[in-house]
């Protein structure tokens, strides 16, 4: 077999791991006659060859001559012997002038084989590495240009070809060039050398996930998964041109569009926050989205050190001291070491960095996996294992070195939280060397609290899923995938690594010197790479059962435990009202119970004892559910009414109007009691809580009013005092309060959602998340999230603590109104349909035929057993849950 740097001779199956890093496997041939010395595997460096040619050919001018004989002679000065007796062990080197003679199975191939060997020999003997790489690349591209995908490999004669291009299949440490072909039903890769099999074929119907990847910090990779949760993919391809990668991605994504929903980091965040994804699953998803792949050891999935106690006989997961500080990178965990690193950092010229090594690199990955992937280690380290005392000998020693070592800042890999203990046990009986104390390197030494490798992994998994980690994992995510990865926030968090490790840290295409370019690429691949940044704002924390009885105060930087929600309010995990849970679990089984038609379209409605209707003809109508009769019709203004509400006690109705006023109507006395003239433009929405009125207006303000008792007398007018004015840049179309009325969310004409702290009348977050007017917005029952809908058809979920947009779903029409429980949504659409949304699954789970015009209002009773909707079709519909 000919590689670009070596001629490999072996009697058994070949492995790509015998190649050097970034070395190509060109071709393979079978020999019939070999000398006895070749009954073991060996590698002959082409640069060490003295003669390549016909056996027995003499003369100095014939040393590198072509031959038509069936025998090829190699004279060389150095050879590596590999896997003697089929045992994985460091390579053995033999030096001195030697000759090997062998005969090809087909003598007609001899001339071509010798020509290939001579070409590769000339490349390997060039002085500059850049020149070597350029010549090898030219040889490779010439071969690819002369070949194409063999269409006879199609699974069916009826397959339609969409695209064919050149690419390389990526596996750990090596890549294999060939041709990619995509049809209407299959994705194919045909290796140029026919190894490991003539064609790799993936049925598009089996594909579940596809990701664009960086490879060597270049946008050239594409990874395809046929499973939902597996760590390893089915194929990883590296393209020569970004456009080829993007075109292939488009073809596959187009096929998957109606089969698999594309997922974002934010959509997984909501599932994780709500407890539908474990910490382990969430970290796997983030790694995938951040270009981490098991096929690329320079971008292997990274997991955190969790436990800091490797000395105790028992592991106490209820003790915070058991855990590592997840708010700091490994390099900042030891204060004394950090002070030394910062002193060096201050004296360093630009570009500065705090750590000379990365937390994830091929060397670190194989440090952990050497017992199950020894050939990878030999490949990476030129046929040698590391020094026995530097091997992965002990969990405790490794942790201590990460705390104290001058250059050791590595994190962990997913295997530490998996089920396979093989990487901890020397099942292959490898000879990994002898330590200074005389003991042989064998199984990994476990901490005292672990009774076995299985027990160690189980307790590590328990620690990862513990309450402490759930409460603090977002801090580590900020460092690795989030806003503390780059810039001033990274400096403040002592989280600055070498510039070459970051996406965009170097433009390889701008480097003209070939030697410098190759050296830079090699450094990037071997040093390790920082994950792609997924979040640019603080990551939300997870919702855990611990967070109860929150205080009423709130600050922008306060932990979620201080969030302003109702006293005694519990998180979703602690809901005891089984009827509500049951109702929302069966919300898709909504059945129309009754309906009533009015003369004009319904603008807004609510129901308590009576059904209140605000109509576009400026008339307020009261309709009895029991008698199904119109009880009262009241006109306040010659302009349209925008919203209404019934105060507790069912005695007073408040209604807002486009004439800039808010009207108070007494049901008992059947008369208008008062008018609040508080805005300079139309009042769009009103809310009420605890004798306070909240009004939103097109005059770009939201105002808070006091002196609004639940029951107003008709004998005197009320005095309304404005307590706060929340100023906006544009018209405000909707507002809503959280359960405790400590937070308010507003939605504007230009698509911005604003979250306000009412205790200080200050804006906490401003999120431009819609491309048109915000139709509706509301807090989740636990006040941790805000849901908004807009004219753009989007449903957006925002984390209240951080202001992060953590989920966004789209429909083909605006959703005018909605109700939700934090996990599921029932929305009323422009067309009149009622849509049931599964936010955690990222999909519309049910479409219910309802109105023939836009649904303008929707209301659910406190027991979640009845729902009422109103629409532009002049219908009021009564719905019941059937379960």
């Amino acid at each position: 077999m000919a590689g670009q740097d070596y001629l490999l001779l072996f009697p058994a199956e070949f492995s790509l791991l015998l190649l050097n890093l970034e070395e190509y496997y060109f071709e393979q041939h079978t020999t019939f006659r070999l000398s006895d010395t070749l009954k073991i595997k060996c590698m002959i460096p082409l640069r060490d060859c003295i003669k390549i040619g016909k056996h027995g050919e003499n003369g100095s001018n014939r040393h590198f001559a072509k031959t038509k004989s069936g025998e090829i002679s190699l004279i060389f000065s150095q050879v590596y012997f590999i896997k003697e007796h089929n045992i994985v062990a460091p390579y053995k080197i033999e030096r001195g002038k030697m000759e090997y003679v062998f005969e090809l199975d087909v003598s007609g191939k001899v001339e071509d084989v010798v020509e290939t060997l001579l070409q590769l020999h000339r490349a390997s003997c060039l002085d500059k590495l850049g020149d070597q790489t350029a010549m090898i690349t030219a040889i490779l591209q010439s071969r690819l240009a002369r070949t194409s995908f063999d269409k006879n490999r199609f699974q069916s004669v009826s397959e339609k070809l969409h695209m064919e291009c050149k690419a390389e299949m990526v596996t750990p440490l090596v890549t294999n060039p060939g041709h990619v072909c995509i049809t209407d039903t299959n994705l194919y890769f045909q290796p140029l050398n026919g190894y490991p099999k003539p064609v790799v074929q993936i049925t598009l119907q089996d594909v579940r996930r596809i990701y664009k990847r960086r490879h060597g910090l270049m946008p050239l990779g594409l990874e395809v998964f046929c499973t939902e949760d597996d760590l390893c993919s089915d194929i990883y391809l590296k393209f020569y041109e970004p456009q080829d990668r993007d075109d292939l991605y488009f073809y596959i994504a187009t096929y998957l569009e109606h089969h698999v929903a594309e997922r974002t980091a934010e959509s997984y965040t909501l599932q994780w926050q709500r407890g539908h994804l474990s910490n382990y699953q969430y970290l796997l998803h983030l790694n995938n989205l951040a270009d981490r792949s098991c096929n690329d050891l320079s971008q292997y999935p990274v997991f955190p050190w969790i436990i800091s106690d490797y000395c105790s006989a028992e592991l106490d997961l209820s003790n915070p001291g058991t855990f590592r500080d997840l708010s700091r990178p490994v390099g900042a965990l030891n204060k004394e070491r950090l002070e030394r690193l910062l002193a060096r950092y201050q004296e360093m010229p630009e570009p500065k960095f705090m750590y000379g090594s990365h937390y994830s690199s091929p060397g670190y990955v194989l440090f952990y996996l050497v017992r199950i992937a020894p050939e990878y280690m030999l490949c990476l380290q030129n046929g040698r294992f590391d020094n026995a005392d530097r091997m992965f000998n002990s969990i405790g020693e490794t942790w201590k070195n990460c705390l104290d070592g001058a250059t050791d800042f590595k994190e962990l890999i997913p295997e530490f939280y998996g089920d396979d203990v093989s990487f901890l046990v020397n099942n292959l009986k490898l000879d990994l060397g002898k330590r200074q104390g005389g003991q042989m390197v064998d199984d990994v030494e476990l901490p005292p609290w672990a009774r076995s490798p299985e027990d160690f992994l189980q307790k590590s998994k328990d620690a990862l899923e513990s309450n402490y980690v759930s409460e603090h994992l977002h801090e580590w995510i900020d460092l690795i995938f989030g806003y503390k990865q780059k810039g001033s926030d990274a400096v403040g968090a002592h989280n600055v690594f070498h510039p070459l490790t970051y996406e965009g840290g170097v433009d390889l295409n701008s480097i003209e010197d070939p030697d410098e370019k190759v050296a830079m690429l090699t450094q990037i691949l071997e040093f390790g790479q920082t994950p792609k940044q997924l979040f640019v704002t603080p990551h939300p924390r997870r919702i855990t059962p611990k967070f109860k009885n929150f205080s009423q105060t709130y600050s922008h930087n306060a932990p979620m435990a201080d969030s302003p929600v109702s006293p005694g309010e519990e998180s979703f995990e602690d809901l005891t009202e089984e009827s509500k849970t049951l109702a929302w679990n069966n919300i898709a089984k909504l059945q129309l119970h009754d309906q009533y038609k009015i003369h004009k379209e319904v603008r807004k409605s609510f129901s308590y004892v009576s059904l209140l209707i605000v109509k576009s003809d400026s008339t307020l109508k009261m309709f009895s559910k029991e008698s199904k009769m119109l009880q009262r019709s009241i006109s306040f203004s010659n302009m349209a009414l925008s919203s209404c509400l019934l105060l507790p006690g069912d005695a007073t109705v408040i209604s807002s109007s486009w004439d800039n006023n808010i009207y108070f109507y007494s049901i008992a006395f059947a008369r208008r009691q008062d008018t609040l003239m508080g805005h300079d433009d139309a009042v769009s929405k009103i809310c009420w809580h605890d004798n306070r009125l909240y009004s939103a207006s097109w005059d770009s303000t939201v105002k808070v009013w006091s002196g609004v008792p639940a029951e107003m007398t008709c004998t005197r007018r009320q005095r309304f005092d404005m307590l706060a004015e929340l100023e906006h840049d544009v018209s405000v179309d909707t507002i809503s309060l959280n359960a405790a009325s400590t937070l308010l969310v507003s939605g504007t004409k230009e698509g911005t959602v604003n979250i306000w702290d009412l205790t200080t009348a200050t804006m906490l977050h401003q999120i431009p998340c819609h491309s048109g007017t915000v139709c509706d917005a509301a807090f989740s029952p636990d006040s941790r999230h805000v849901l908004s809908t807009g004219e753009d058809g989007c449903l957006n979920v925002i984390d209240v603590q951080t202001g992060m947009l953590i989920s966004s779903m789209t429909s083909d029409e605006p959703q005018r109104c909605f109700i939700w429980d934090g996990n599921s949504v029932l929305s009323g659409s422009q067309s009149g349909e009622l849509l049931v949304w599964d936010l955690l699954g990222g999909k519309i789970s049910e479409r219910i035929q309802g109105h023939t015009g836009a649904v303008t209002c929707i209301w659910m009773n406190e027991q979640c057993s009845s729902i009422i909707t109103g629409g532009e079709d002049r219908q009021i519909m009564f719905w019941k849950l059937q379960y």
Side-chain angles (χ1 to χ4, degrees):
M1 194 287 301
Q4 66 190 56
D5 296 322
Y6 294 92
L7 178 68
L8 294 97
L9 307 172
F10 47 91
E13 184 180 351
F14 167 71
S15 169
L16 288 174
L17 292 174
L18 296 174
L19 301 176
N20 275 341
L21 189 64
E22 293 297 296
E23 182 181 5
Y24 290 114
Y25 162 28
F26 275 88
E27 56 192 52
Q28 175 177 302
H29 299 281
T30 303
T31 59
F32 283 118
R33 289 195 299 126
L34 292 171
S35 62
D36 293 339
T37 58
L38 289 181
K39 291 182 179 179
I40 56 175
K41 299 178 183 179
C42 65
M43 293 194 306
I44 304 171
L46 288 173
R47 64 178 177 273
D48 292 329
C49 286
I50 301 170
K51 180 194 176 206
I52 301 173
K54 178 181 178 181
H55 176 51
E57 202 164 39
N58 297 316
S60 58
N61 61 337
R62 307 292 295 274
H63 275 188
F64 294 99
K66 301 178 184 179
T67 176
K68 295 183 179 180
S69 166
E71 294 182 347
I72 298 176
S73 170
L74 294 176
I75 300 176
F76 49 90
S77 60
Q78 184 170 258
V79 63
Y80 293 86
F81 294 101
I82 306 165
K83 290 187 71 171
E84 290 185 283
H85 310 295
N86 211 33
I87 296 174
V88 179
Y91 304 164
K92 293 183 178 179
I93 304 175
E94 184 176 325
R95 295 182 174 87
K97 187 175 181 180
M98 292 164 274
E99 180 180 14
Y100 286 171
V101 179
F102 53 93
E103 183 177 2
L104 298 180
D105 59 338
V106 179
S107 59
K109 296 180 180 178
V110 171
E111 186 172 350
D112 292 336
V113 170
V114 171
E115 177 63 32
T116 297
L117 290 172
L118 292 174
Q119 274 188 318
L120 297 176
H121 177 267
R122 286 194 296 272
S124 67
C125 291
L126 294 173
D127 293 334
K128 295 185 176 180
L129 186 59
D131 293 339
Q132 293 181 27
T133 302
M135 184 171 179
I136 293 298
T137 300
I139 296 171
L140 174 63
Q141 292 300 321
S142 175
R143 287 177 168 237
L144 287 170
R146 295 196 306 267
T147 57
S148 62
F149 185 86
D150 182 2
K151 308 303 187 297
N152 293 321
R153 297 288 183 177
F154 283 177
Q155 294 292 300
S156 169
V157 294
S158 61
E159 284 187 66
K160 182 180 178 181
L161 175 66
H162 281 305
M163 175 185 174
E164 179 182 348
C165 65
K166 299 176 288 185
E168 297 176 9
M169 186 171 69
V170 179
T171 54
L173 300 180
V174 289
T175 59
N176 204 4
H179 295 275
V180 170
C181 184
I182 188 167
T183 70
D184 52 350
T185 56
N186 291 287
L187 170 67
Y188 298 94
F189 177 76
Q190 186 171 29
L192 185 64
N193 48 42
Y195 184 87
K197 54 185 179 180
V199 170
V200 178
Q201 178 255 329
I202 293 175
T203 303
L204 293 181
Q205 192 172 0
D206 294 337
V207 175
R208 289 294 172 267
R209 295 176 288 148
I210 54 173
Y211 298 98
K212 291 181 179 180
R213 298 291 194 215
R214 291 175 302 159
H215 189 274
L217 294 184
M218 299 284 286
L220 299 172
L222 182 70
E223 194 162 21
V224 180
F225 292 77
C226 292
T227 57
E228 291 291 349
D229 300 312
D230 278 5
L231 188 60
C232 297
S233 65
D234 290 81
I235 193 169
Y236 186 144
L237 297 170
K238 170 196 169 186
F239 296 81
Y240 298 107
E241 298 294 336
Q243 189 61 50
D244 287 340
R245 190 277 303 269
D246 293 344
D247 289 345
L248 191 71
Y249 179 90
F250 171 78
Y251 281 120
I252 300 178
T254 301
Y255 180 88
L256 298 180
E257 188 174 14
H258 302 294
H259 302 273
V260 181
E262 186 174 358
R263 306 304 296 269
T264 62
E266 291 79 11
S267 65
Y268 289 121
T269 300
L270 182 61
Q271 293 187 60
W272 171 71
Q273 271 197 296
R274 290 285 176 184
H276 289 252
L277 284 178
S278 67
N279 291 337
Y280 176 81
Q281 290 170 322
Y282 185 50
L283 289 177
L284 276 187
H285 286 305
L286 293 186
N287 272 283
N288 253 324
L289 292 168
D291 287 338
R292 313 303 285 187
S293 168
C294 291
N295 284 308
D296 185 353
L297 296 187
S298 67
Q299 298 189 93
Y300 200 80
V302 57
F303 270 60
W305 284 97
I306 293 296
I307 299 168
S308 63
D309 179 6
Y310 295 99
C311 299
S312 300
E314 297 294 333
L315 187 66
D316 183 5
L317 296 182
S318 64
N319 178 12
T322 298
F323 299 92
R324 163 257 183 106
D325 183 352
L326 289 165
S327 69
R328 297 171 176 268
V330 169
L333 293 175
N334 182 322
K335 185 178 179 180
E336 293 181 0
R337 179 178 65 177
L338 178 61
E339 289 175 352
R340 295 193 298 269
L341 292 169
L342 290 178
R344 187 190 68 174
Y345 174 77
Q346 296 299 332
E347 298 171 356
M348 186 181 296
E350 294 291 345
K352 295 183 176 184
F353 54 90
M354 296 178 184
Y355 308 112
S357 63
H358 205 252
Y359 51 78
S360 177
S361 69
Y364 288 160
V365 172
L366 296 178
F367 168 85
Y368 292 126
L369 299 181
V370 64
R371 288 168 178 80
I372 57 173
E375 291 177 287
Y376 290 89
M377 177 67 83
L378 294 175
C379 174
L380 185 68
Q381 299 200 154
N382 297 317
R384 299 185 303 273
F385 290 132
D386 204 348
N387 180 279
D389 287 293
R390 291 196 300 266
M391 297 286 278
F392 181 31
N393 294 303
S394 162
I395 304 289
E397 284 183 11
T398 301
W399 168 246
K400 185 178 185 303
N401 200 56
C402 288
L403 285 182
D404 302 334
T407 60
D408 194 350
F409 315 109
K410 59 178 172 285
E411 292 279 9
L412 297 182
I413 56 177
E415 283 76 0
F416 277 82
Y417 304 102
D419 298 316
D420 188 355
V421 301
S422 300
F423 76 103
L424 299 171
V425 183
N426 188 15
N427 288 325
L428 299 177
K429 304 302 178 186
L430 301 169
D431 182 0
L432 298 173
K434 183 181 292 186
R435 304 188 66 181
Q436 287 185 354
Q439 65 270 39
M440 297 297 295
V441 176
D442 197 22
D443 296 345
V444 176
E445 181 184 340
L446 304 175
W449 46 258
R451 295 185 299 272
S452 65
E454 291 80 7
D455 186 50
F456 171 77
L457 289 189
Q458 184 58 54
K459 287 178 177 174
S460 296
K461 288 188 286 186
D462 293 343
L464 180 62
E465 305 302 334
S466 66
N467 276 346
Y468 178 90
V469 174
S470 292
E471 293 166 20
H472 294 277
L473 187 58
H474 65 284
E475 298 171 335
W476 186 82
I477 293 171
D478 284 336
L479 296 169
I480 307 302
F481 304 105
Y483 81 108
K484 291 183 179 179
Q485 186 193 93
K486 298 178 182 178
S488 60
D489 290 306
V491 175
H494 305 135
N495 194 40
V496 182
F497 294 86
H498 196 285
L500 287 181
T501 68
Y502 294 94
E503 184 175 22
V506 62
D507 182 7
L508 290 174
N509 291 326
S510 66
I511 302 175
E512 297 182 358
D513 183 87
D515 289 334
E516 183 183 351
K517 188 171 186 177
V518 171
M520 189 74 70
L521 179 60
T522 301
Q523 185 175 353
I524 289 170
L525 293 175
E526 293 183 352
F527 191 85
Q529 297 175 48
T530 299
K532 182 170 70 176
Q533 189 174 25
L534 300 178
F535 308 103
V536 294
T537 58
H539 191 281
R541 71 165 63 211
R542 196 177 195 191
I543 301 171
T544 64
K546 177 181 176 180
F547 298 129
K548 303 178 188 177
N549 302 320
F550 306 108
S551 70
Q552 293 293 302
T553 59
Y554 186 86
S555 68
H556 182 67
N557 295 317
M560 201 60 192
D562 297 327
S563 296
V565 297
S566 301
E569 185 178 33
E570 297 181 340
S571 68
F572 80 103
E573 293 144 317
D574 300 315
L575 285 174
T576 57
E577 302 174 46
E578 294 182 3
S579 61
K580 292 183 179 181
T581 303
L582 184 62
W584 277 102
N585 287 342
N586 291 274
I587 195 70
K589 298 178 182 178
L590 205 61
Q591 296 291 325
L592 182 62
H593 179 68
D594 204 352
Q595 64 188 79
Y596 178 79
K597 188 169 185 176
I598 59 175
H599 296 294
K600 296 284 186 176
E601 65 186 60
V602 180
R603 297 283 301 181
K604 194 75 177 177
S605 66
F606 294 87
S607 174
Y608 297 89
V609 175
S610 299
L611 176 67
L612 308 181
I613 309 163
V614 178
K615 297 172 58 216
S616 61
D617 63 352
S618 76
T619 304
L620 175 71
K621 293 194 175 185
M622 300 179 62
F623 176 81
S624 171
K625 293 184 296 181
E626 288 75 20
S627 65
K628 296 183 174 58
M629 296 291 291
L630 181 66
Q631 290 187 334
R632 204 168 296 176
S633 181
I634 312 103
S635 180
F636 294 127
S637 167
N638 59 0
M639 296 187 70
L641 303 180
S642 56
S643 71
C644 72
L645 54 86
L646 179 66
L647 297 186
D650 302 327
T652 303
V653 177
I654 307 178
S655 182
S656 59
S657 172
W658 288 0
D659 67 2
N660 309 354
N661 296 329
I662 300 170
Y663 298 98
F664 296 81
Y665 176 82
S666 171
I667 296 176
F669 294 96
R671 58 174 289 180
R672 185 173 72 186
Q673 291 176 296
D674 216 332
T675 302
L676 173 59
M677 294 178 285
H679 287 278
D680 300 324
D681 205 336
V683 182
S684 54
K685 180 75 179 288
I686 53 175
C687 298
W688 184 91
H689 184 270
D690 195 19
N691 291 341
R692 290 187 179 183
L693 178 69
Y694 305 82
S695 59
S697 171
W698 292 356
D699 66 5
S700 306
T701 67
V702 173
K703 295 182 179 181
V704 184
W705 307 89
S706 68
V708 186
E711 295 187 21
M712 302 177 67
T713 66
C714 65
T715 57
R716 64 183 179 88
R717 298 176 68 86
Q718 298 293 317
R719 176 182 174 182
F720 303 106
D721 296 322
M722 188 174 71
L723 299 179
E725 182 175 354
L726 312 180
E727 295 186 355
H728 296 66
D729 296 328
V730 294
S731 300
V732 183
D733 280 70
T734 186
I735 56 171
S736 183
L737 301 170
N738 72 331
S741 294
T742 52
L743 295 175
L744 179 143
V745 59
S746 59
T748 71
K749 181 180 180 180
E750 293 186 354
T752 299
V753 173
N754 308 281
I755 301 175
W756 298 82
D757 178 4
L758 292 176
T759 62
T760 58
T762 56
M763 184 187 294
L764 299 175
H765 306 292
Q766 185 176 52
I767 308 101
C769 55
H770 291 281
S771 58
T773 301
V774 179
C775 296
D776 200 2
F779 288 91
S780 59
D782 60 10
S783 298
R784 296 185 180 278
H785 297 117
V786 163
L787 176 69
S788 64
T789 61
E791 287 184 344
D792 55 3
C794 290
L795 268 76
N796 294 326
V797 180
I798 299 164
D799 180 74
V800 171
Q801 179 200 8
T802 63
M804 179 186 288
L805 179 64
I806 60 173
S807 179
S808 184
M809 299 173 61
T810 58
S811 61
D812 52 7
E813 60 179 338
Q815 302 301 305
R816 297 279 294 272
C817 53
F818 67 85
I819 52 176
W820 75 312
D821 72 336
N823 298 326
S824 301
V825 180
L826 178 65
S827 67
S829 66
Q830 183 71 29
S831 66
E833 279 187 318
L834 299 180
L835 271 57
V836 179
W837 301 74
D838 176 9
L839 292 178
L840 303 178
K843 62 183 178 180
I844 298 174
S845 55
E846 190 69 34
R847 294 178 178 268
I848 302 170
Q849 294 301 315
H851 296 264
T852 56
V855 183
T856 57
C857 50
I858 185 168
W859 175 86
M860 175 185 276
N861 67 347
E862 189 175 353
Q863 294 75 30
C864 302
S865 58
S866 298
I867 291 172
I868 305 173
T869 60
E872 292 181 353
D873 60 357
R874 310 174 188 176
Q875 295 286 340
I876 304 168
M877 294 187 173
F878 299 82
W879 304 82
K880 293 288 185 182
L881 289 171
Q882 306 294 324
Y883 52 87

